[in-house]
Amino acid sequence: MEVILAEYLGFCYGVKRAIRLARDSASPGRASTLGPIIHNPQMVERLAQEGVSTVSELAEMPDGGTVIIRSHGVGPAIYREAEERHLTLVDATCPHVKKAQLAAHALAEDGCTVVIVGEKKHPEVKSIYEWSGEGAVIVETEAEAEALPSCGKMGVVAQTTFSGAEFEQITAKLLSKSNDIHIIRTICTATDQRQKAAIELAGRVDMMLVIGGKNSANTTRLAELCAEQTTTHHLETASELQDAWFADKKIIGITAGASTPDWIIREVYQKCQKK
Ligand code: SF4
């Protein structure tokens, strides 16, 4: 079986950095990430074995413990609470996410109604929202943008992993909502690179395998884009591969989300080669 890896796949800069910072802070029972470090259960489990557990709120942290802020970032209240509780805070917020948070904050300070283009339930979007001042809104679709009331000054930022094309469509609708609109395209190139490479590969193979957490937004998006081109399966680990998928297939393409560890990609690649 011919198996081709996408030109860009797997861990992005922000995730690699977050995992390195978490590992550097490992201390069994004392170091925890606030929420899972990335949307990949296998990686979360591996880190737990190395001495970095997961808490869902700071109240679960022991006094004097170390809390690691994951790449999605958090709002200002968490920094205040950590300081009040004298916790050591290791900030692994991806610098690109930080840039979106700071841009949203600056726009709000400048009197803009901040519009965040992104998925409402995504933790990164929630973190940007918390830096965006009163009256901020999250918009996920063109229809939602169209339904917004007009406002004086508007500032627009994006979820870093949002599709570039959809961002353009949504901002086109927003242009009619304000005569004083400031658009900051805070989309990260890692996402664009992975999406473009996946679409290109999907266009020339018989089947695409998209590896990554089922709860990972960027992996799910990659799977949707590939499915528009060819037969596509979204899997978390090599154990999910099914022989029936490979019947009549000659060339297989593989891509993986920005939160998928190398060892899982390698395992899937090697198993596919043997089919
Ligand atoms: S996808 Fe981009 S913004 Fe998100 S963590 Fe990775 S490098 Fe940072």
Side-chain angles (χ1 to χ4, degrees):
M1 183 72 64
E2 187 180 351
V3 189
I4 308 173
L5 293 172
E7 190 183 353
Y8 296 100
L9 80 172
F11 277 177
C12 59
Y13 156 76
V15 165
K16 275 189 198 150
R17 178 177 173 272
I19 289 171
R20 178 174 47 78
L21 288 170
R23 281 195 161 128
D24 289 351
S25 315
S27 173
R30 302 202 56 76
S32 303
T33 60
L34 185 57
I37 183 102
I38 53 171
H39 284 147
N40 185 279
Q42 293 75 26
M43 188 72 232
V44 169
E45 200 181 311
R46 190 170 274 204
L47 270 183
Q49 285 162 6
E50 293 177 18
V52 183
S53 56
T54 304
V55 294
S56 50
E57 49 188 11
L58 291 189
E60 295 169 45
M61 293 293 303
D63 288 339
T66 298
V67 63
I68 301 137
I69 303 302
R70 58 191 177 166
S71 57
H72 295 316
V74 292
I78 295 291
Y79 290 91
R80 282 197 298 271
E81 193 183 339
E83 200 179 338
E84 279 160 21
R85 293 240 5 241
H86 305 291
L87 298 171
T88 301
L89 187 142
V90 175
D91 195 351
T93 306
C94 174
H96 297 297
V97 176
K98 186 71 100 187
K99 197 173 137 198
Q101 292 174 339
L102 294 178
H105 186 63
L107 288 166
E109 293 278 286
D110 199 30
C112 293
T113 298
V114 176
V115 176
I116 304 151
V117 179
E119 297 150 88
K120 292 188 184 68
K121 290 188 180 149
H122 196 286
E124 178 201 306
V125 174
K126 289 184 188 165
S127 86
I128 299 172
Y129 179 79
E130 285 170 28
W131 287 95
S132 300
E134 275 185 30
V137 281
I138 302 168
V139 160
E140 203 166 337
T141 63
E142 282 182 73
E144 285 174 8
E146 198 129 38
L148 282 184
S150 296
C151 67
K153 247 174 143 180
M154 183 186 280
V156 184
V157 296
Q159 174 182 344
T160 58
T161 47
F162 207 71
S163 142
E166 282 176 44
F167 181 72
E168 308 307 339
Q169 286 158 2
I170 290 173
T171 49
K173 299 279 177 207
L174 293 174
L175 286 174
S176 65
K177 301 292 174 182
S178 165
N179 291 326
D180 190 2
I181 184 163
H182 304 261
I183 299 172
I184 305 183
R185 198 181 190 278
T186 49
I187 293 179
C188 154
T189 50
T191 310
D192 275 350
Q193 277 175 340
R194 275 156 189 71
Q195 290 182 353
K196 280 187 184 138
I199 292 167
E200 185 278 321
L201 182 57
R204 58 188 171 98
V205 297
D206 301 319
M207 174 172 78
M208 279 299 289
L209 298 177
V210 182
I211 315 165
K214 294 272 163 64
N215 58 349
S216 154
N218 78 84
T219 309
T220 306
R221 184 69 193 141
L222 280 178
E224 285 167 4
L225 292 170
C226 291
E228 288 170 13
Q229 307 282 328
T230 190
T231 306
T232 299
H233 299 284
H234 177 176
L235 62 159
E236 284 192 353
T237 66
S239 66
E240 292 166 51
L241 288 171
Q242 293 177 26
D243 285 343
W245 295 352
F246 295 83
D248 309 324
K249 304 284 190 291
K250 291 194 176 68
I251 313 176
I252 306 298
I254 292 181
T255 187
S259 50
T260 308
D262 290 351
W263 88 81
I264 297 181
I265 301 172
R266 214 164 28 242
E267 223 174 282
V268 173
Y269 179 75
Q270 286 166 352
K271 262 192 157 177
C272 287
Q273 279 186 317
K274 290 181 193 144
K275 296 283 181 194

